[in-house]
Amino acid sequence: MADDGKQDRSPGEKRTDWAERRTALAAERTFAAWGRTGLACIGGGLAVTRLLGDLEPRWALRTLALGLMVLGAMTLLFGLRTYRKSARDLESSGEHTLSVWWIGAFAAVLTVLAGIGLVLVW
């Protein structure tokens, strides 16, 4: 049996390791929730223009769609910000999380798609 240095750890240290891992997974789930909410807002903004396209005055429809899409992009960026803070805190204690680069790339792509949607709506 290979000695990886973990056999002589106390039960308290093992519980702490598991608690840090659960916290890392919770941070990832929280970002996923922010991402879903942002996508729902962006999709809602696009759907409003499609479903209520004949609504007058036209500026009110565009304002509603624009507001939903901006809210979605802001939600994604806020989720990224909170994930980055959690990941930094966890990594300072030695726990590894999903790469902030990948999470940032995901948020950036969705924000760019929201911007394209804004152009299409306007």
Side-chain angles (χ1 to χ4, degrees):
M1 178 185 275
D3 182 23
D4 60 359
K6 293 190 177 189
Q7 278 91 9
D8 53 347
R9 298 185 65 176
S10 72
E13 289 174 325
K14 291 177 184 177
R15 282 194 300 269
T16 300
D17 291 343
W18 280 103
E20 288 175 347
R21 186 66 193 138
R22 283 191 305 270
T23 302
L25 293 171
E28 293 167 8
R29 285 191 305 272
T30 301
F31 177 75
W34 282 110
R36 284 190 305 271
T37 303
L39 279 174
C41 289
I42 293 167
L46 292 172
V48 160
T49 59
R50 188 56 116 171
L51 297 174
L52 304 174
D54 298 332
L55 187 69
E56 291 295 330
R58 190 87 173 131
W59 64 268
L61 178 67
R62 286 184 175 172
T63 302
L64 177 62
L66 176 71
L68 283 169
M69 295 171 82
V70 167
L71 179 65
M74 288 175 54
T75 300
L76 287 166
L77 295 175
F78 184 77
L80 173 63
R81 182 175 173 255
T82 58
Y83 180 79
R84 283 182 56 206
K85 183 183 181 320
S86 296
R88 236 186 346 255
D89 292 345
L90 285 165
E91 287 180 5
S92 70
S93 69
E95 181 62 43
H96 297 289
T97 60
L98 282 176
S99 169
V100 174
W101 188 90
W102 283 109
I103 297 290
F106 176 75
V109 167
L110 293 178
T111 303
V112 167
L113 290 175
I116 292 169
L118 284 172
V119 171
L120 294 174
V121 168
W122 204 258

